[in-house]
Amino acid sequence: MNILRQIWIVSLINFRSIRLRLWRSLVIVVGMACVIGVMLSMLSLTEGMLKAYKDTGDPGRALVVSAGAQSEGNSSIARDKARIIMDAPGIAKAPDGSPMADPGINSGVPVLRLDGRRAYNNLRGFGPRGILLRPEFHLVSGRMFRFGTRELIVGASAKSQFKGMNVGDKVILPDGEWPIVGSFTTGDLLDGQLIGDTETVMKAIRRPAYNSVLVRLSSLNAFDSFKRALTTNPALSVEPMRQSDWYKKISAGFSTFFNVIAYGIAIIMAVGALFGCLNTMYAAVAARGREIATLRALGYSAFPVAASVILEAAALSVAGALIGAGIAWALYDGKLGSFNVNVFKLTVSPALIGMGILWAVAVAVLGGLLPSIRAARRPVVEALRAT
Amino acid sequence: MRYLPLIWSAVMRKPMRTMLTLLSVTVAFTLFGLMIGLNATFDEVAAKARADRIFTNARFGGNGMPIAVAHQIAAIPGVKVVTAVSGINGYVQDPKNSAFVLMVDENLPKVFGDWGVSQELWDVVQKDRTGIVMSQIQAARWHKKVGDTFTMISKQVKRADGGSTWTFKVLAIGPDFQQNSQGYIFGNYDYIDKAMAPADQGKIGEADLIANDPTTSAELAERIDHAFANSATPLVTITEKMARAGGDFAGLPIKPITRGIALAGMFMVLFLTGNGIAESVRERFAEFATLKTIGFSDRAVTTMVVLEAALPCMIGAGLGVVVAAFLARQIPALMPPNFGIPLPHISPVVIAWAAASAFVVALLSAAMPILRLTRMDIASALSGRT
């Protein structure tokens, strides 16, 4: 009889008898559900944040910051330098012939989280071409701020994390209260932020220089010539980056940090689940000792018996992982979360779930291996005699 | 106590099952210890926060503020002493090896005396202005000893001659302290500031101060904000007590997260221990019937089952907490450098919570088997009919 068929038949017998060992089998299912549930819940934060960063960064746009800047906040670009940057080659032209470029400003604004903890939100400045540069921008309620006026618009997700982020609310800036006149969505990180007119905001927060310049490249390939023009200009000390690369760069630090914690906790829990799995599978093998011996007496070889034990562990473990992933998905996927100043949707992606299943299989193989060897090695006669 | 031999023989009936259960419980309590220990650290930091210490930052913008602001704050009534806190960010050899040198003025020890760094160490950089002091963690990280030179590259802060390479002499190695798991390097503010390019000079990151009267420090913080509200540098000022109260890490609410994870770990082992004790009782049903026949009360039988469940739980909890305490000390080496997550502290409170949780897990595990035992029909159990 072919070996696969043997594995199939032995496994089938195992699975049919699972309901006799229901509670014991549930140890593996519940254990894995806990491991994968916790792991994916934690990773939904990094995954969601990386996705938000990725969505915000458009390879067709380039961001210019001062050399060595680690964030837009600690970059500074003087007005005369910004003019030089906006005249560089490689920038797409607006319908009126002007370059599609917008110098921007970024500032933290002290706010309160919904639970009263202190935090900062990001206030961003848009110039006249701020919207033209971002086709993903849509107003959802109220109206656009007027240029030259002390008015703000707010991203649609901000109110899920911070107090006072609705149309009609007022935000305290150094020169007094600014009303929020509209709400917008871009589908990315800007959805958590406040936006006002760059020049008016700069006056209010007494900032003489811009933070950065955002440009639309005339084509995806235009970046190199744009970059060369800026980096070879002795009057400038700036770092042009594709916007997508910029967000990749600034997200690297926290994602490493967070992954180390999430995987560290997952590894500890998986070890705990592994001992549970070993326990269950040893007991399952002991309970089916006579069955297995009978099969061996009938001519089944040792390998299918061993394989069936691992298969059973894997099936239970994967079932647990799916439950855990389902719980993490139901609790967190699509829910708005926040890390530092950023607001974004937590994400339990299919890739994460796939990884959870792989973890479950790994734990099952490790946890089923020793019991399966015991099952396969047990002398037939002795097992048949056992009660 | 007199049941002990009975319980011991029950526990050791299937040594493999007992060992695996014990290991699993140990792991769950390792996680429990780390999570609840992290909570304990946040609680301790909040409790240690000084009522009279106040932090002042620029309200808008990440580029710090002029040092003049610190001098103006010092003149506000109710302020005892102000220190200008600043530093240079950079890296050693590779941008991945980020490093930070704190720039210290003579007032810093008066504001942060509780760091436990001795006055002599602070004085070292006031006497030899060109040098730095490293904590043991940092000295180990960069393999430095007293007398070595430490070279750092900073893209943001240029030297007056336009260079980005900063070289310091290591004057002393200082002790580390709990509030800062990454260690520290500090040098002389004045000297480093004057060595910077003119455009970078005279700036500080924040101003920290001590109030004369701890009971009115919140009110003083508001007065400081008010005084600067219409200046060129509006401030956001907060007392240390308020800053530390929320148990907040980068905006994440630490307590609910850590408690949730610890609870998931408990739930995971609850199923295992519950199952184990249920099986153990089922296998010995006739034995329990015998015990009841010879006069063991329901209470005695209940106690035995609870103790049988509690034994691996309590031992596992004890071992797990010990492993957690060991792992907590390894965290600085495991984490990427310069991520200042506080270390879990396995305090007596944490140990008490672990013991209580272990007991609850044992009680819940034993509940169903006990119910069966108290309702058992002795005659049919003895004849093996159940």
Side-chain angles (χ1 to χ4, degrees), chain B residues 72-359:
Chain B
Q72 285 158 12
I73 292 174
I76 292 177
V79 175
K80 189 189 273 177
V81 58
V82 181
T83 181
V85 178
S86 196
I88 319 180
N89 263 312
Y91 59 86
V92 176
Q93 284 172 345
D94 187 293
K96 269 183 255 166
N97 306 324
S98 58
F100 177 77
V101 174
L102 184 70
M103 295 156 64
V104 171
D105 65 9
E106 67 283 358
N107 282 346
L108 197 112
K110 293 176 197 145
V111 176
F112 292 103
D114 51 340
W115 282 357
V117 178
S118 69
Q119 187 64 44
E120 292 91 74
L121 275 180
W122 295 119
D123 287 344
V124 166
V125 294
Q126 300 301 335
K127 281 181 200 128
D128 186 347
R129 295 154 47 93
T130 59
I132 50 169
V133 173
M134 274 185 173
S135 82
Q136 282 161 353
I137 290 176
Q138 287 287 333
R141 188 173 162 213
W142 307 117
H143 311 290
K144 295 293 176 200
K145 54 184 191 309
V146 174
D148 287 354
T149 51
F150 176 71
T151 304
M152 184 175 92
I153 295 160
S154 175
K155 288 275 185 206
Q156 285 110 310
V157 183
K158 297 269 186 288
R159 284 206 329 268
D161 61 13
S164 55
T165 307
W166 292 82
T167 304
F168 301 102
K169 197 171 133 202
V170 179
L171 300 173
I173 309 290
D176 284 286
F177 52 93
Q178 193 202 0
Q179 294 94 318
N180 185 353
S181 57
Q182 298 296 325
Y184 57 81
I185 304 175
F186 66 78
N188 185 304
Y189 173 85
D190 215 39
Y191 170 76
I192 299 172
D193 183 61
K194 294 295 178 293
M196 288 180 186
D200 294 324
Q201 285 182 14
K203 274 188 197 157
I204 60 173
E206 61 182 87
D208 298 332
L209 59 119
I210 299 288
N212 276 327
D213 181 1
T215 59
T216 59
S217 58
E219 182 258 343
L220 175 61
E222 276 176 33
R223 270 198 289 136
I224 293 171
D225 275 358
H226 190 72
F228 286 83
N230 290 309
S231 76
T233 317
L235 303 176
V236 55
T237 307
I238 186 170
T239 63
E240 187 176 12
K241 271 271 180 261
M242 279 167 80
R244 302 282 180 261
D248 186 294
F249 184 76
L252 296 174
I254 290 297
K255 286 203 171 176
I257 295 176
T258 49
R259 284 187 186 139
I261 295 171
L263 204 64
M266 290 299 102
F267 189 67
M268 186 169 99
V269 285
L270 175 62
F271 238 77
L272 183 70
T273 54
N275 215 17
I277 194 79
E279 261 169 33
S280 167
V281 167
R282 200 179 314 130
E283 286 159 7
R284 291 178 297 132
F285 218 55
E287 285 176 31
F288 281 108
T290 313
L291 287 176
K292 284 177 100 169
T293 312
I294 62 174
F296 275 68
S297 65
D298 272 352
R299 180 185 282 184
V301 172
T302 302
T303 313
M304 280 176 55
V305 176
V306 168
L307 289 178
E308 186 187 333
L311 202 62
C313 288
M314 295 308 250
I315 295 175
L319 290 176
V321 166
V322 169
V323 176
F326 171 78
L327 280 183
R329 262 182 251 149
Q330 316 304 316
I331 288 177
L334 297 173
M335 292 302 284
N338 282 0
F339 282 106
I341 189 159
L343 300 185
H345 177 215
I346 313 301
S347 64
V349 180
V350 176
I351 295 169
W353 273 111
S357 306
F359 196 64

Side-chain angles (χ1 to χ4, degrees), chain A residues 107-110 120 172-174, chain B residues 57-61 225 233-237:
Chain A
S107 176
V109 181
Y120 282 86
I172 300 173
L173 290 186
Chain B
N57 283 275
R59 194 172 189 97
F60 298 96
D225 275 358
T233 317
L235 303 176
V236 55
T237 307

Side-chain angles (χ1 to χ4, degrees), chain A residues 23-27 30-32 34-35 38 42 45 67-70 73-76 106-110 113 115 117-118 120 123 172-175 205-207 211 252-254 256-258 260-261 264-265 267-273 275-280 282-283 338-341 374, chain B residues 14 16-21 23-24 27-28 30-31 34-35 57-63 155-156 158 225 228-234 236-238 242 246-254 257 260-261 263-265 267-269 271-273 275-276 279 282-283 327 334-336 339-341:
Chain A
W23 286 99
R24 200 193 267 290
S25 306
L26 277 178
V27 169
V30 171
M32 258 354 261
C34 287
V35 177
V38 167
M42 295 195 71
L45 190 95
Q70 298 297 311
N74 64 28
S75 155
S76 174
N106 247 39
S107 176
V109 181
R113 289 187 188 276
D115 59 10
R117 285 178 298 147
R118 287 184 178 215
Y120 282 86
L123 168 61
I172 300 173
L173 290 186
D175 62 346
I205 61 177
R206 299 185 177 89
R207 206 81 80 69
N211 284 122
F254 80 83
T256 316
F257 167 74
F258 221 77
V260 168
I261 295 179
I265 288 171
I267 287 171
I268 293 175
M269 289 189 78
V271 171
F275 291 128
C277 182
L278 272 168
N279 198 7
T280 299
Y282 268 126
S338 164
F339 187 71
N340 281 335
V341 298
R374 174 185 280 190
Chain B
K14 295 210 165 158
M16 177 71 106
R17 175 167 72 194
T18 305
M19 272 317 292
L20 288 172
T21 305
L23 284 171
S24 200
V27 171
T30 300
L31 188 68
L34 290 173
M35 292 294 114
N57 283 275
R59 194 172 189 97
F60 298 96
N63 274 331
K155 288 275 185 206
Q156 285 110 310
K158 297 269 186 288
D225 275 358
F228 286 83
N230 290 309
S231 76
T233 317
V236 55
T237 307
I238 186 170
M242 279 167 80
D248 186 294
F249 184 76
L252 296 174
I254 290 297
I257 295 176
I261 295 171
L263 204 64
F267 189 67
M268 186 169 99
V269 285
F271 238 77
L272 183 70
T273 54
N275 215 17
E279 261 169 33
R282 200 179 314 130
E283 286 159 7
L327 280 183
L334 297 173
M335 292 302 284
F339 282 106
I341 189 159

